[in-house]
Amino acid sequence: MKRIISLLLVAVMAVTSLGVSVYAAEANYDDLVAPCYTNIDSVSAGLSEGVLGFVTCTSNFISFDDTKTFVLTCYLQRTDGSSGWVNYKSKSETYSGMGSYTIEKSWFAPSGYAYRTYTKLQVKNSAGTVVETATKASAVYYNW
Amino acid sequence: MNDYNEKVIKNVLDMKRAEEDAEFLKEIQEAKNNPAFKKKKNETKLFIKEVSKSKNHRPMLRAASIVLVVVASLAIVTVSVEGFGEKITSFFSNFVSSDYAAVDVDEEDNLFSEYKGMYVPTFIPEGYKVESVVNGEDIFELILKNNKKCMVIIREQSLDLKSNIDTEDADAVKEIEINGMNGLYVKKGQTERVVLVSDATMLYITDNDSNVDLIGFAELIEKR
């Protein structure tokens, strides 16, 4: 019994003296934190530069609510810098039930503006009433 | 007269004893010659083996002591060092968990073989099947569903895709590291989310099935 206890103490001292290192994540996740959603898991917006002046807009949402209807609208917004963002192009789809839904659309983006994708999601109940709205803007693409 | 009687009795008893001794010796001699009592060849070996069995307890006690020391050490370090317990449980969950034993992606005719360079799961949780695959400009997404209205979504997205993820009033939010990528784990009600970020990409995994160990599942995701 004494031998077991002494072995135990030696093992604990050996393991703790090795200095178990625990990672420390230092990434910034402020961009991911959102207001509290009721029916939505996440909303996303993306804009990527294509060729010959085209840009590709991506809007996505995820929901685990199987009882709602969702209206997802993907806007290509632009600004000339002197005024606010203006809806330039848009595409809208309606979905029912849980899932991950994506609109991806390419549009021609004339120079002289800054562009961004703006995602708007409306959640409707069985009566057709909008019960929740969520939005998200992408990073800005400057095409002056 | 009494002395004479005593001597007669003693002589009779001695003669009787001698007869009995002679009979006993005769029985011993007969037993020696009886084949039923002859020592068989391997009897000695069997006897030694039976005796030596009792000596094997000592190595077993030694092994039990070592196991006890290791388990106790792990328990003490797990309790005292933050984050160590999670590493241990995720290590063992890879071998013990049966949730991911249903479909080995490599055995199923290379289920995701066409998606080279993408993050794909190496196992699919039991009861789930691939519902859809989205391979877009900024998104590569796999949706797994079962027949109980549960879903697991694995999405690899470029860092150009900005996301709002519901973390407010969550039951648990903690920073994690999986396969060299730092990230967040969020649990809110029935749903869990794992977000992992590297220099070029973000991996977003979410589900609404409490039977799925999402962190364990995330650790089994590999880049093809």
Side-chain angles (χ1 to χ4, degrees):
Chain A
M1 190 62 187
K2 283 183 186 176
R3 195 176 169 192
I4 293 173
I5 291 171
S6 55
L7 276 175
L8 178 63
L9 284 171
V10 167
V12 169
M13 283 163 56
V15 170
T16 52
S17 68
L18 285 172
V20 177
S21 62
V22 179
Y23 57 82
E26 295 180 1
N28 186 350
Y29 305 104
D30 289 345
D31 284 345
L32 296 175
V33 178
C36 188
Y37 294 140
T38 306
N39 307 290
I40 306 164
D41 178 87
S42 65
V43 177
S44 304
L47 181 74
S48 56
E49 185 185 351
V51 294
L52 301 175
F54 279 82
V55 294
T56 299
C57 298
T58 303
S59 290
N60 168 274
F61 78 94
I62 294 173
S63 176
F64 291 104
D65 194 327
D66 218 25
T67 63
K68 302 293 189 296
T69 301
F70 305 91
V71 180
L72 177 66
T73 307
C74 175
Y75 295 97
L76 174 62
Q77 294 183 329
R78 70 181 184 183
T79 178
D80 59 7
S82 61
S83 54
W85 291 98
V86 174
N87 293 333
Y88 173 58
K89 298 283 185 187
S90 70
K91 180 179 166 78
S92 196
E93 296 280 357
T94 300
Y95 307 96
S96 291
M98 57 190 260
S100 175
Y101 301 102
T102 303
I103 293 176
E104 189 174 271
K105 182 74 181 165
S106 293
W107 287 293
F108 180 70
S111 60
Y113 297 91
Y115 292 89
R116 72 176 187 181
T117 296
Y118 187 76
T119 297
K120 183 178 175 183
L121 175 67
Q122 289 181 311
V123 184
K124 294 182 178 178
N125 61 15
S126 53
T129 307
V130 175
V131 295
E132 190 174 4
T133 301
T135 60
K136 183 65 180 175
S138 71
V140 177
Y141 163 60
Y142 297 96
N143 192 16
W144 302 122
Chain B
M1 193 63 178
N2 282 341
D3 288 338
Y4 177 76
N5 289 339
E6 278 180 16
K7 281 180 184 171
V8 165
I9 292 168
K10 188 167 179 277
N11 282 341
V12 166
L13 287 174
D14 286 345
M15 281 168 58
K16 188 70 181 162
R17 198 175 292 124
E19 278 176 20
E20 285 175 0
D21 288 347
E23 276 182 29
F24 186 62
L25 283 171
K26 191 178 168 190
E27 279 177 21
I28 289 174
Q29 199 57 44
E30 281 173 5
K32 275 186 182 177
N33 296 329
N34 189 341
F37 294 111
K38 269 210 162 87
K39 191 168 66 175
K40 293 195 179 62
K41 231 179 189 180
N42 58 349
E43 267 182 355
T44 311
K45 283 185 187 173
L46 285 171
F47 178 75
I48 292 170
K49 192 178 171 186
E50 284 299 320
V51 169
S52 63
K53 264 187 193 174
S54 62
K55 292 186 184 173
N56 287 343
H57 288 311
R58 218 172 254 186
M60 282 177 64
L61 277 174
R62 198 168 292 161
S65 307
I66 292 170
V67 169
L68 176 64
V69 166
V70 169
V71 168
S73 307
L74 280 174
I76 289 167
V77 175
T78 299
V79 168
S80 57
V81 178
E82 190 177 342
F84 188 78
E86 189 183 307
K87 283 183 181 271
I88 293 293
T89 50
S90 64
F91 174 76
F92 283 110
S93 71
N94 289 342
F95 299 99
V96 171
S97 169
S98 61
D99 288 348
Y100 313 121
V103 178
D104 185 329
V105 167
D106 285 333
E107 289 172 0
E108 286 290 316
D109 298 325
N110 295 316
L111 197 59
F112 304 117
S113 59
E114 61 189 286
Y115 304 115
K116 287 202 182 336
M118 304 299 186
Y119 283 95
V120 296
T122 53
F123 282 94
I124 295 177
E126 193 164 349
Y128 282 82
K129 59 177 184 178
V130 178
E131 171 88 359
S132 62
V133 179
V134 173
N135 194 359
E137 188 76 24
D138 289 323
I139 285 179
F140 174 73
E141 189 174 73
L142 297 166
I143 299 176
L144 312 178
K145 277 189 180 174
N146 66 6
N147 58 2
K148 297 177 186 173
K149 296 198 173 181
C150 291
M151 200 164 56
V152 179
I153 297 173
I154 308 105
R155 185 168 77 201
E156 181 186 352
Q157 61 189 64
S158 76
L159 296 179
D160 292 334
L161 190 75
K162 304 298 180 188
S163 297
N164 276 355
I165 296 168
D166 186 10
T167 57
E168 200 163 316
D169 297 333
D171 300 321
V173 179
K174 61 180 178 181
E175 294 191 355
I176 56 174
E177 185 208 347
I178 293 176
N179 297 332
M181 295 171 77
N182 293 327
L184 278 178
Y185 166 79
V186 179
K187 179 169 173 56
K188 185 171 176 179
Q190 282 287 99
T191 61
E192 291 177 292
R193 298 162 189 121
V194 165
V195 180
L196 300 169
V197 181
S198 71
D199 291 339
T201 193
M202 182 172 111
L203 202 54
Y204 180 57
I205 307 143
T206 182
D207 79 329
N208 66 335
D209 187 353
S210 57
N211 293 318
V212 174
D213 171 18
L214 200 66
I215 291 180
F217 179 72
E219 288 173 340
L220 296 175
I221 292 174
E222 290 179 355
K223 196 164 192 171
R224 279 270 160 178

